[in-house]
Amino acid sequence: MNMEKCSKDRFMTLRSLFDSAEIKLKETEQLCGDLAIPSVNELRYVGYHITKALCHDVDSNDYNEELLRAERHCKRAVYDANEVGIEYLLRKIANFKEQYSSS
Protein backbone atom coordinates (compact mmCIF):
# COMPACT_ATOMS: atom_id res chain seq x y z
CA MET A 1 0.00 0.00 0.00
CA ASN A 2 1.45 3.36 -0.89
CA MET A 3 1.84 6.15 1.67
CA GLU A 4 -0.80 8.36 0.05
CA LYS A 5 -3.44 5.60 0.38
CA CYS A 6 -2.34 4.84 3.93
CA SER A 7 -2.58 8.53 4.83
CA LYS A 8 -6.03 8.84 3.29
CA ASP A 9 -7.21 5.80 5.27
CA ARG A 10 -5.87 7.34 8.48
CA PHE A 11 -7.73 10.56 7.83
CA MET A 12 -10.93 8.69 6.99
CA THR A 13 -10.63 6.83 10.31
CA LEU A 14 -9.95 10.09 12.10
CA ARG A 15 -12.95 11.70 10.41
CA SER A 16 -15.17 8.82 11.54
CA LEU A 17 -13.93 9.18 15.12
CA PHE A 18 -14.49 12.93 14.98
CA ASP A 19 -18.02 12.44 13.66
CA SER A 20 -18.78 9.99 16.48
CA ALA A 21 -17.50 12.46 19.05
CA GLU A 22 -19.52 15.29 17.54
CA ILE A 23 -22.70 13.20 17.55
CA LYS A 24 -22.18 12.20 21.19
CA LEU A 25 -21.45 15.80 22.11
CA LYS A 26 -24.71 16.94 20.47
CA GLU A 27 -26.70 14.17 22.21
CA THR A 28 -25.28 15.21 25.57
CA GLU A 29 -25.99 18.86 24.86
CA GLN A 30 -29.61 18.05 24.04
CA LEU A 31 -29.98 15.84 27.12
CA CYS A 32 -28.44 18.26 29.59
CA GLY A 33 -29.34 21.53 27.91
CA ASP A 34 -25.72 22.59 28.22
CA LEU A 35 -22.50 22.15 26.28
CA ALA A 36 -20.03 19.48 27.49
CA ILE A 37 -16.99 21.74 27.67
CA PRO A 38 -14.44 18.94 28.29
CA SER A 39 -15.50 17.31 25.00
CA VAL A 40 -15.23 20.58 23.12
CA ASN A 41 -11.71 21.04 24.48
CA GLU A 42 -10.76 17.54 23.34
CA LEU A 43 -12.03 18.31 19.84
CA ARG A 44 -9.97 21.51 19.83
CA TYR A 45 -6.90 19.38 20.44
CA VAL A 46 -7.86 17.12 17.54
CA GLY A 47 -7.54 20.08 15.19
CA TYR A 48 -4.27 21.11 16.81
CA HIS A 49 -2.70 17.68 16.30
CA ILE A 50 -3.97 17.39 12.73
CA THR A 51 -2.34 20.69 11.82
CA LYS A 52 0.88 19.60 13.52
CA ALA A 53 0.81 16.33 11.54
CA LEU A 54 0.40 18.24 8.30
CA CYS A 55 3.65 20.09 9.03
CA HIS A 56 5.58 16.79 8.88
CA ASP A 57 6.42 14.36 6.09
CA VAL A 58 3.82 11.61 5.70
CA ASP A 59 6.34 8.87 6.45
CA SER A 60 7.83 10.47 9.59
CA ASN A 61 7.28 9.23 13.13
CA ASP A 62 6.11 12.72 14.15
CA TYR A 63 3.36 12.63 11.53
CA ASN A 64 2.08 9.29 12.77
CA GLU A 65 2.34 10.30 16.42
CA GLU A 66 0.34 13.50 15.85
CA LEU A 67 -2.43 11.58 14.08
CA LEU A 68 -2.45 9.03 16.89
CA ARG A 69 -2.82 11.85 19.41
CA ALA A 70 -5.70 13.30 17.38
CA GLU A 71 -7.42 9.89 17.39
CA ARG A 72 -7.00 9.62 21.16
CA HIS A 73 -8.50 13.07 21.66
CA CYS A 74 -11.55 12.03 19.59
CA LYS A 75 -12.02 8.96 21.77
CA ARG A 76 -11.58 11.05 24.91
CA ALA A 77 -14.21 13.53 23.64
CA VAL A 78 -16.73 10.67 23.40
CA TYR A 79 -15.78 9.48 26.88
CA ASP A 80 -16.11 12.98 28.34
CA ALA A 81 -19.50 13.55 26.72
CA ASN A 82 -20.73 10.21 28.07
CA GLU A 83 -19.43 11.10 31.52
CA VAL A 84 -21.23 14.45 31.52
CA GLY A 85 -24.47 12.77 30.42
CA ILE A 86 -24.20 10.02 33.05
CA GLU A 87 -23.47 12.51 35.82
CA TYR A 88 -26.46 14.59 34.74
CA LEU A 89 -28.76 11.55 34.81
CA LEU A 90 -27.42 10.42 38.19
CA ARG A 91 -28.18 13.87 39.64
CA LYS A 92 -31.71 13.68 38.22
CA ILE A 93 -32.20 10.23 39.79
CA ALA A 94 -30.87 11.44 43.14
CA ASN A 95 -33.16 14.48 43.03
CA PHE A 96 -36.13 12.27 42.17
CA LYS A 97 -35.37 9.86 45.01
CA GLU A 98 -34.94 12.74 47.44
CA GLN A 99 -38.16 14.40 46.32
CA TYR A 100 -40.33 11.28 46.50
CA SER A 101 -38.69 9.31 49.31
CA SER A 102 -40.33 11.50 51.96
CA SER A 103 -43.78 11.30 50.38
Side-chain angles (χ1 to χ4, degrees), residues 64-79:
N64 290 317
E65 182 59 32
E66 292 301 335
L67 291 182
L68 184 60
R69 288 177 181 170
E71 290 169 5
R72 282 189 236 140
H73 282 293
C74 284
K75 292 174 184 177
R76 182 61 195 218
V78 171
Y79 174 85

Side-chain angles (χ1 to χ4, degrees), residues 9-98:
D9 290 346
R10 286 285 301 271
F11 277 100
M12 288 175 64
T13 298
L14 188 53
R15 172 64 190 268
S16 178
L17 287 168
F18 191 93
D19 288 345
S20 296
E22 197 171 29
I23 288 166
K24 183 52 70 178
L25 179 60
K26 189 55 142 175
E27 288 173 356
T28 302
E29 182 181 3
Q30 290 172 345
L31 173 69
C32 302
D34 201 7
L35 192 58
I37 299 300
S39 293
V40 173
N41 287 336
E42 292 297 331
L43 292 179
R44 280 181 39 228
Y45 285 116
V46 171
Y48 174 74
H49 289 293
I50 289 171
T51 58
K52 281 187 74 175
L54 293 173
C55 293
H56 298 286
D57 291 331
V58 172
D59 58 349
S60 78
N61 287 337
D62 292 333
Y63 174 85
N64 290 317
E65 182 59 32
E66 292 301 335
L67 291 182
L68 184 60
R69 288 177 181 170
E71 290 169 5
R72 282 189 236 140
H73 282 293
C74 284
K75 292 174 184 177
R76 182 61 195 218
V78 171
Y79 174 85
D80 287 346
N82 282 328
E83 183 178 29
V84 167
I86 290 168
E87 288 174 352
Y88 171 80
L89 292 172
L90 288 173
R91 282 192 305 276
K92 286 193 68 105
I93 291 168
N95 290 341
F96 178 84
K97 285 173 76 174
E98 183 180 308

